[in-house]
Amino acid sequence: MSIDILTHDQVAQFLKDNPEFFTHYVDLLNTINVPHPHSGQAISIGERQVMMLRERARNLENKLKEFIQFAEENDAIGDKMHRLSLGLMRGRSLEAVLQSLQLSLSEQFAVPHVALRLWGGPLLDLPEFERVSEDIRVLKEGLSQPQCGHAAPDEVRAWFGEAGPHLRSFALTPLSAENMDGLLVLASEDAKRFYPEMGTLYLNWLGELASAAISRFV
């Protein structure tokens, strides 16, 4: 006479299909031991369940801490964007707007290097209006949103002078307004400051704010 042996999957499926099983065999829960997940010692099913609940609670707590941290960081960035906006609005001239933009990015956002080039409007005697190549114009036109990463054209690196060869990460933000185009570039020696996967929402807002402020005088 052959004896059919149930597989682990069949036992598991039976318990799922018959949740009342342990109501009829309550004492069985106290007699079944399972391996401890870390030490390997035998513990009861009840103890194992308590450990699982504690682990789940710790994971939820860690996720909550992450959410709180992200919220605090977003609040801080939002406050900085607000102050940057006020500075741009208060500018009474193009030079004042450009200076306010540079100071805000440097002091409030701690961006070590900032470069800006504008074209399409009148050529003014300012560094921001130095001529750019057709390659840079094509690059800007290809940016539907800001782009972050570790590479930048040699021409862009040259905008930063002696610091150019030492820069390891960049955030390229396109600027657009009526009869004006431009490229705002934030850079750092830290390769982790502007990385390809980072969000670009605030950079996009920065580009829109800078474009609107500059277009008032160009």
Side-chain angles (χ1 to χ4, degrees):
M1 181 178 64
S2 63
I3 300 176
D4 294 331
I5 300 177
L6 296 176
T7 66
H8 292 172
D9 290 338
Q10 288 174 321
V11 174
Q13 189 62 49
F14 172 80
L15 294 177
K16 288 181 180 179
D17 296 338
N18 300 273
E20 74 283 355
F21 175 82
F22 285 109
T23 63
H24 301 298
Y25 299 90
V26 177
D27 294 338
L28 189 61
L29 290 173
N30 297 324
T31 60
I32 297 178
N33 292 328
V34 297
H36 189 285
H38 304 300
S39 66
Q41 297 178 348
I43 59 175
S44 69
I45 290 181
E47 290 178 292
R48 183 69 178 91
Q49 184 68 16
V50 170
M51 293 182 63
M52 291 175 61
L53 292 174
R54 287 176 178 171
E55 183 66 24
R56 186 178 301 174
R58 279 194 294 268
N59 291 336
L60 291 175
E61 183 179 0
N62 291 334
K63 288 183 179 180
L64 178 59
K65 289 180 179 178
E66 289 181 4
F67 289 148
I68 293 175
Q69 180 182 356
F70 290 150
E72 291 176 346
E73 291 175 353
N74 286 335
D75 285 344
I77 296 176
D79 180 66
K80 293 175 182 178
M81 292 296 295
H82 175 68
R83 283 183 281 165
L84 182 146
S85 301
L86 292 177
L88 295 178
M89 291 173 62
R90 290 171 179 152
R92 300 293 184 181
S93 65
L94 178 59
E95 290 83 350
V97 167
L98 295 176
Q99 184 180 31
S100 177
L101 179 62
Q102 289 273 356
L103 287 176
S104 293
L105 292 173
S106 175
E107 297 179 0
Q108 297 178 30
F109 290 88
V111 178
H113 304 281
V114 180
L116 171 64
R117 290 296 183 272
L118 301 167
W119 61 88
L123 291 177
L124 303 180
D125 189 19
L126 294 171
E128 290 79 8
F129 288 86
E130 291 181 359
R131 293 186 179 278
V132 299
S133 68
E134 185 63 25
D135 290 341
I136 297 299
R137 301 185 184 218
V138 172
L139 171 65
K140 181 268 170 187
E141 290 300 323
L143 294 176
S144 58
Q145 62 182 11
Q147 175 180 296
C148 300
H150 303 132
D154 291 340
E155 181 177 349
V156 170
R157 286 181 176 273
W159 298 350
F160 297 95
E162 295 180 354
H166 307 289
L167 301 177
R168 295 294 177 266
S169 63
F170 303 84
L172 280 62
T173 303
L175 304 182
S176 297
E178 186 176 358
N179 297 327
M180 185 205 76
D181 289 296
L183 190 63
L184 174 64
V185 184
L186 317 183
S188 173
E189 289 87 356
D190 182 2
K192 298 180 180 179
R193 182 63 188 276
F194 305 109
Y195 52 93
E197 299 82 11
M198 73 180 295
T200 58
L201 174 63
Y202 290 111
L203 287 171
N204 192 54
W205 287 0
L206 173 62
E208 292 177 351
L209 288 169
S211 297
I214 294 171
S215 67
R216 293 159 50 203
F217 305 100
V218 176

